[in-house]
Amino acid sequence: MSDYVSSIKSIIAPRTRVYQRLSDLSGLANIQDRLPAEAREKITIEPIDSDSCAFVVPGAGRLVLRIIEREPEGTIKLATEQSPIDLTIWIQLLEPTPGDTRLRLTLRADLNFFMRKMIGSKLKDGVEKLADMLAMIPYNY
């Protein structure tokens, strides 16, 4: 197993709101327009519901992520289904001071040595970019 961890991101919003927004994946449908044009052109996003989302990535195929565990206001755990690689993602939230939520992503991938060498750096970059995107979502709605 290989772990890829993002840097800690600061979100100016209460942890309750951040958790509510991220623990219901259907809300992510609203941010598709904010994806970089490069990502929108390459990645096909399929319909999203509250517990799962699916997208097609060129070279990787169809990837389905499903929320498999929710720890209220603390952790959201997602895992892949129908994926060429077994992935688990943890979204961890802390609120050191009121209205200042900290977010960190951890991605665990079941990769053999060769796969780790081929795509490890891309997974690390992807985790960091995903954490950046999650930190940019407007939570104070």
Side-chain angles (χ1 to χ4, degrees):
M1 291 290 187
S2 301
D3 286 357
Y4 303 91
V5 181
S6 74
S7 59
I8 296 172
K9 308 298 179 183
S10 181
I11 300 169
I12 306 303
R15 179 169 64 169
T16 302
R17 284 196 186 141
V18 175
Y19 177 81
Q20 287 171 345
R21 186 84 188 255
L22 295 178
S23 65
D24 180 358
L25 296 179
S26 61
L28 297 179
N30 298 333
I31 65 164
Q32 290 180 37
D33 296 336
R34 293 195 180 126
L35 291 174
E38 172 185 306
R40 282 191 309 241
E41 292 170 4
K42 292 181 180 178
I43 299 172
T44 304
I45 300 173
E46 296 181 357
I48 299 172
D49 64 34
S50 63
D51 292 321
S52 66
C53 62
F55 41 95
V56 179
V57 180
R62 185 170 188 263
L63 183 68
V64 178
L65 281 173
R66 179 169 303 283
I67 294 178
I68 59 170
E69 187 178 322
R70 291 176 175 94
E71 179 186 308
E73 297 185 21
T75 305
I76 303 161
K77 184 177 178 182
L78 302 102
T80 55
E81 294 180 351
Q82 306 170 10
S83 169
I85 300 171
D86 288 335
L87 301 174
T88 305
I89 299 172
W90 287 267
I91 302 171
Q92 298 164 301
L93 303 171
L94 293 172
E95 189 174 11
T97 58
D100 180 15
T101 300
R102 304 298 165 96
L103 176 142
R104 182 175 75 176
L105 292 182
T106 302
L107 181 143
R108 179 168 290 161
D110 187 10
L111 302 173
N112 63 37
F113 175 78
F114 297 107
M115 290 294 287
R116 192 169 38 250
K117 291 295 181 188
M118 286 182 3
I119 66 170
S121 63
K122 291 179 183 178
L123 289 175
K124 174 61 180 159
D125 291 344
V127 165
E128 197 64 36
K129 288 177 183 176
L130 180 57
D132 287 339
M133 286 187 343
L134 294 178
M136 289 189 279
I137 295 171
Y139 293 98
N140 292 316
Y141 46 90

